[in-house]
């Protein structure tokens, strides 16, 4: 997946038509250091669960779902 993302970024920057001075490792490092910090602030990853306390109970265990 990360390789697809790097190829997409290179294509959008026109790396195949002109010499791009960043190698794949530099692009990945930039994504990890800059982009992920910003995205985690403005678009955090979270999972939301809907718990039905009557039907999702584990049989034989009190108050465990």
């Amino acid at each position: 997946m990360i390789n697809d993302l790097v190829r997409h970024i290179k294509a959008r920057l026109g790396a195949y038509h002109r010499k791009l001075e960043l190698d794949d490792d530099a692009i990945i490092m930039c994504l990890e250091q800059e982009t992920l910090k910003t995205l985690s602030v403005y678009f955090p990853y979270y999972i939301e669960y809907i718990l039905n306390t009557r039907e999702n109970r584990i049989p034989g265990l009190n108050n465990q779902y």
Side-chain angles (χ1 to χ4, degrees):
M1 180 171 150
I2 192 73
N3 291 332
D4 295 335
L5 183 60
V6 170
R7 275 196 300 274
H8 178 75
I9 290 170
K10 286 173 126 180
R12 297 286 292 177
L13 292 174
Y16 302 111
H17 301 289
R18 58 181 158 222
K19 176 96 172 122
L20 185 64
E21 297 179 6
L22 292 173
D23 60 350
D24 291 354
D25 293 333
I27 293 173
I28 291 170
M29 185 177 70
C30 180
L31 287 171
E32 288 175 349
Q33 291 178 352
E34 303 299 329
T35 308
L36 293 178
K37 285 185 211 174
T38 304
L39 285 176
S40 66
V41 170
Y42 296 105
F43 190 68
Y45 177 75
Y46 65 92
I47 298 174
E48 183 176 325
Y49 291 101
I50 299 174
L51 182 65
N52 185 338
T53 57
R54 292 183 183 176
E55 296 177 8
N56 294 339
R57 196 171 289 212
I58 297 174
L61 298 175
N62 293 333
N63 297 327
Q64 291 192 13
Y65 305 93

